[in-house]
Amino acid sequence: MKKKYLLFIAIIFMLVSCNTAPYIPTNEERAENLVSNCIKDWLTYPESYETVSTRIDSSRINVSKMVEIIKLTKECNDLYDKIRTLERRIESAQSTMEIYAPDKYSSKFSIGNYNRAKAEKEEYELEFKQLNPKLENKVLALRNSTNDLYDSEINGWAVTHRFRCQNDYGAQMPPQEMLFFCDLNFERCQGWTVEQIEYFFKIIEHVKEFETDKALLKNLQDIRYI
């Protein structure tokens, strides 16, 4: 009788222990909780948010390099635009100088136009000379960041998350999909839309396509058309 009583007590103790054990969320649940809170922070109607699916995979992407690549790409494009604009202005000033090239019959008006065009051309050429090395350095930095995009070991999680929500006007949108990169402990994350991710990796492909910085610089304008 005593043995049966002790066995009964042991069973009760085991049941109580099982019921009071803390619940440990799965990695998928931790990921979903982190990214959903992140999404709700920028939604106009956070109460409209609804999870559709969450999928996680280990990742070796260095997110800081990813952000750096996006920033450098914009800076390269901006510098490229400025340089092309300066080239057009230099050509225009040169044409004006040729039209009003002074001779013994030149009027003050013609000489004035020539001098103004000459001064503009010299100003544009000086700026052009200063911007070219800057662009070359940015292209080199872009290539280096691209080469350092992946760490040698797993450093976090890639979380593909689909959800429903309302837009800024309160209209229901079709399911949205974003890719988040989270740290190993699911404490921080950074996310992009699928379209942004596709654009990003096309940049990576474009950079790797050209083996030299000179070739990449020559074809830099292609990035804007990706």
Side-chain angles (χ1 to χ4, degrees):
M1 184 70 181
K2 186 177 180 180
K3 289 183 178 179
K4 289 182 179 181
Y5 176 77
L6 291 175
L7 179 61
F8 175 76
I9 294 298
I11 292 173
I12 293 297
F13 178 79
M14 290 174 62
L15 289 173
V16 171
S17 298
C18 291
N19 289 333
T20 58
Y23 174 73
I24 300 176
T26 64
N27 283 341
E28 285 79 6
E29 290 172 328
R30 296 172 70 190
E32 186 174 302
N33 182 61
L34 178 64
V35 302
S36 63
N37 287 334
C38 179
I39 293 171
K40 289 177 184 178
D41 282 343
W42 55 260
L43 286 180
T44 304
Y45 299 97
E47 68 279 1
S48 69
Y49 169 86
E50 179 186 355
T51 295
V52 175
S53 64
T54 303
R55 187 179 72 252
I56 69 170
D57 294 292
S58 58
S59 172
R60 293 189 299 112
I61 285 184
N62 185 325
V63 179
S64 64
K65 291 296 178 183
M66 188 175 179
V67 174
E68 193 174 287
I69 289 168
I70 295 171
K71 178 174 176 288
L72 284 169
T73 300
K74 183 181 184 307
E75 291 173 347
C76 284
N77 280 330
D78 290 345
L79 282 171
Y80 184 87
D81 284 344
K82 288 179 181 178
I83 288 172
R84 297 289 82 83
T85 298
L86 285 171
E87 286 179 335
R88 290 191 294 270
R89 288 177 176 175
I90 290 170
E91 290 175 2
S92 177
Q94 180 63 41
S95 297
T96 301
M97 288 174 62
E98 291 171 1
I99 292 171
Y100 295 103
D103 56 32
K104 61 181 180 180
Y105 303 107
S106 296
S107 65
K108 289 183 178 180
F109 175 79
S110 294
I111 293 173
N113 284 338
Y114 175 85
N115 289 335
R116 279 191 293 272
K118 183 174 182 293
E120 288 176 355
K121 181 172 180 285
E122 290 173 352
E123 180 184 343
Y124 297 147
E125 285 176 336
L126 177 61
E127 189 175 357
F128 180 86
K129 189 178 294 185
Q130 293 171 340
L131 288 183
N132 258 313
K134 289 183 179 180
L135 180 57
E136 291 172 1
N137 290 335
K138 292 292 183 183
V139 167
L140 176 60
L142 177 60
R143 184 182 294 282
N144 290 338
S145 294
T146 301
N147 292 336
D148 295 337
L149 178 60
Y150 293 95
D151 289 341
S152 58
E153 297 180 356
I154 292 172
N155 60 12
W157 303 93
V159 180
T160 304
H161 186 67
R162 299 186 77 238
F163 60 96
R164 295 186 183 90
C165 66
Q166 295 175 357
N167 61 21
D168 291 343
Y169 304 99
Q172 186 68 33
M173 296 196 298
Q176 306 293 301
E177 184 169 315
M178 294 183 68
L179 179 63
F180 288 82
F181 292 97
C182 307
D183 67 302
L184 287 170
N185 296 320
F186 295 105
E187 295 174 347
R188 300 177 305 279
C189 69
Q190 195 153 356
W192 289 268
T193 65
V194 172
E195 292 78 11
Q196 289 171 327
I197 291 294
E198 289 176 353
Y199 172 72
F200 173 79
F201 281 105
K202 283 179 180 177
I203 292 174
I204 302 301
E205 291 174 8
H206 185 75
V207 172
K208 290 181 178 290
E209 181 181 351
F210 300 99
E211 295 182 358
T212 65
D213 293 341
K214 186 176 181 180
L216 176 58
L217 187 60
K218 186 178 179 181
N219 295 274
L220 189 64
Q221 70 271 21
D222 294 344
I223 289 180
R224 70 177 63 256
Y225 300 120
I226 293 175

